Amino acid sequence: MKLPVSITARSASSCRTFIGITFSYDIGEISYLTIINPAAAIGPKKEAQHRAARRQGRGPGAKTQSQSINGRRHMKNQSLNVISAFSAVGLLMATAGPGAAQESLTVAFYGGEWGDAIQSCIVEPFTEATGIAVTPEPGVSSVTLAKLKQQKGNPAIDVAWLDGGISELTLEDDLVERIDPEAAPNIDQMIPEGVYKDPNGDIYALSTGFYALGLVYNTEEVEQAPTSWWDLWKEDFAGIVTVPSPSNAMGVPFFVTVSRLSGGGLDNFQPGVEKMRELEVSSYFDTSGNATNSFQSGEVIAGAHYASAAWSLADKGLPIAYTVPKEGALGGDIRVHIVKGTPKQELAQRFANFAVGVEPATCMANTLYVGPATKGVELSEKADKRMPWGPKGSVEKLDLIDWIALNKKRDEVTQIWNREVAS
């Protein structure tokens, strides 16, 4: 509700005051405009009498006794009307009360094209549907995690988007709240892979779209499309490929996958180290933008990169394509969370429920080409071909990561990478 009040006054004569008070306020989706003109309360007949009395003066400023009495009565009536008008202001302001301020949420989410999609597909439609304002708090997952840790117990953020992997860390640090299925009935239409539960079975995060790290290549420079991760090790690609470093969200999973496919695992990274040493790269990328720039400049012609980034380049006219390796694309997702301790629990629950609805999920899938975690999404022909799991595929085709197990090895992998691979 908003309540701007404007009060204007002008003097028409020494005994004639016009007061205008205008109210403009919104309640829900209905707008009101109320104009209170106390002078108008005198009535047309009385007003005409006052004008006639003024015209009958016997000289400039001269008044008869009766006119003086009438003038005083007129001024008294005007004063009463002004008091009444200001009483109306007070009554309206009191009715509006402290709840008159518009309800709002502070929501942390990404920048760039991901943030633009969340803004247009989820945030703006939510505000339009509910009237609840949303203040963005931009930042990548690691930055948002740092803010949540700093604000623990007294959060300024109410809702937060985080990537898989970081999401599990917030659960471990008790930074996120339980999402109530009764307050978020849209959960019923989600696939099981998109609903994240703690060891007690309580929901702590909901997916708003799956992405994947797969094989990206330049269609003009690469004669035969790669089909396996191992194709990146081919001599044809020596020195002109890129893969993620552990600083990237998919860097640690990529290294662990290479290690596993080479005969190692979470308890034995040496096969992965040896295999990575054989790969002749142009660069290791820390951010998706670094890899995208390398493809744009022609510095690299193939690599392990994100499906959404590849299709974004293709939409700009670059000869870039994405394919799912036969071993499976590494799958991740972006998840919405309710921050522990937010005083706006009810609003946050409503937002989480809205975010996983069919219409927002449809918009996200057709805009970013992320795989929907919500059932009933209708994909455009283009989006269907650009899903992270490939045309006509499903989430089962993604190599989904056990982030809880992986997070326990994250620091060790980073140290091994810096010491034995990157150096």
Side-chain angles (χ1 to χ4, degrees):
M1 180 184 292
K2 61 183 181 181
L3 188 59
V5 179
S6 62
I7 301 177
T8 58
R10 73 172 183 266
S11 176
S13 70
S14 58
C15 64
R16 173 77 170 94
T17 304
F18 177 96
I19 303 290
I21 304 175
T22 303
F23 303 89
S24 175
Y25 52 98
D26 291 340
I27 299 178
E29 297 181 355
I30 304 173
S31 297
Y32 298 85
L33 178 64
T34 303
I35 300 176
I36 301 176
N37 181 359
I42 301 171
K45 184 176 180 181
K46 281 286 185 182
E47 180 64 19
Q49 292 174 354
H50 288 315
R51 286 198 300 268
R54 288 193 296 271
R55 285 196 300 268
Q56 292 172 5
R58 292 185 176 85
K63 299 177 184 163
T64 65
Q65 183 178 6
S66 62
Q67 287 172 333
S68 297
I69 293 173
N70 286 337
R72 286 193 296 271
R73 287 175 179 172
H74 173 67
M75 292 178 67
K76 180 178 180 181
N77 287 337
Q78 288 283 58
S79 299
L80 290 173
N81 283 321
V82 170
I83 293 171
S84 298
F86 278 96
S87 297
V89 174
L91 178 60
L92 188 56
M93 294 290 282
T95 302
Q102 184 180 19
E103 294 177 312
S104 64
L105 286 168
T106 298
V107 180
F109 56 92
Y110 319 98
E113 61 184 13
W114 291 82
D116 291 343
I118 290 173
Q119 180 73 25
S120 61
C121 293
I122 300 175
V123 171
E124 291 175 359
F126 173 76
T127 298
E128 291 173 5
T130 65
I132 299 170
V134 173
T135 301
E137 180 71 22
V140 296
S141 292
S142 58
V143 171
T144 298
L145 174 61
K147 291 178 181 178
L148 296 183
K149 287 182 176 181
Q150 185 181 29
Q151 299 170 9
K152 187 175 183 179
N154 186 29
I157 298 171
D158 305 302
V159 177
W161 256 278
L162 299 162
D163 287 278
I166 300 296
S167 172
E168 283 76 6
L169 293 177
T170 63
L171 176 64
E172 182 181 317
D173 291 339
D174 195 29
L175 297 171
V176 291
E177 194 66 74
R178 172 181 178 269
I179 298 176
D180 183 3
E182 293 186 2
N186 285 335
I187 293 174
D188 292 340
Q189 57 192 3
M190 296 184 70
I191 61 176
E193 293 87 348
V195 180
Y196 296 90
K197 299 180 181 181
D198 64 19
N200 297 322
D202 292 330
I203 299 169
Y204 71 91
L206 299 173
S207 177
T208 56
F210 290 93
Y211 58 81
L213 186 86
L215 293 166
V216 176
Y217 62 100
N218 185 310
T219 58
E220 292 182 352
E221 299 291 338
V222 179
E223 293 182 2
Q224 186 174 355
T227 60
S228 167
W229 288 125
W230 300 138
D231 287 340
L232 299 178
W233 274 256
K234 287 183 176 180
E235 186 176 347
D236 291 347
F237 296 143
I240 47 177
V241 298
T242 186
V243 297
S245 76
S247 296
N248 185 268
M250 281 296 180
V252 172
F254 178 74
F255 174 76
V256 171
T257 297
V258 169
S259 185
R260 174 174 55 82
L261 294 175
S262 301
L266 288 175
D267 296 324
N268 179 17
F269 294 123
Q270 195 56 36
V273 170
E274 294 174 1
K275 191 67 178 179
M276 288 302 303
R277 283 176 174 172
E278 297 174 6
L279 181 64
E280 296 183 41
V281 301
S282 168
S283 61
Y284 300 114
F285 65 86
D286 294 338
T287 69
S288 175
N290 294 149
T292 295
N293 291 338
S294 294
F295 275 99
Q296 283 181 310
S297 67
E299 178 185 341
V300 302
I301 64 172
H305 195 21
Y306 294 95
S308 57
W311 298 128
S312 177
L313 287 172
D315 284 341
K316 295 175 181 176
L318 276 73
I320 302 296
Y322 166 87
T323 187
V324 177
K326 64 182 182 181
E327 298 87 359
L330 294 178
D333 62 344
I334 55 174
R335 309 174 190 174
V336 65
H337 308 71
I338 296 175
V339 178
K340 186 91 168 184
T342 172
K344 301 177 180 180
Q345 281 287 327
E346 182 182 352
L347 300 185
Q349 296 278 356
R350 289 175 65 185
F351 184 89
N353 180 61
F354 186 92
V356 297
V358 174
E359 290 187 13
T362 299
C363 180
M364 291 286 286
N366 287 307
T367 301
L368 280 179
Y369 312 125
V370 292
T374 300
K375 301 173 186 177
V377 168
E378 293 188 11
L379 298 174
S380 66
E381 184 178 351
K382 178 190 284 188
D384 185 52
K385 294 177 180 178
R386 294 181 170 187
M387 285 292 98
W389 41 66
K392 305 301 180 183
S394 67
V395 69
E396 284 79 14
K397 287 196 70 175
L398 294 181
D399 185 4
L400 295 176
I401 298 154
D402 182 352
W403 288 108
I404 293 177
L406 193 74
N407 282 338
K408 294 177 181 179
K409 296 288 185 175
R410 185 180 293 274
D411 291 341
E412 181 182 350
V413 167
T414 301
Q415 291 173 11
I416 291 174
W417 177 280
N418 291 337
R419 184 176 63 247
E420 302 185 46
V421 177
S423 60

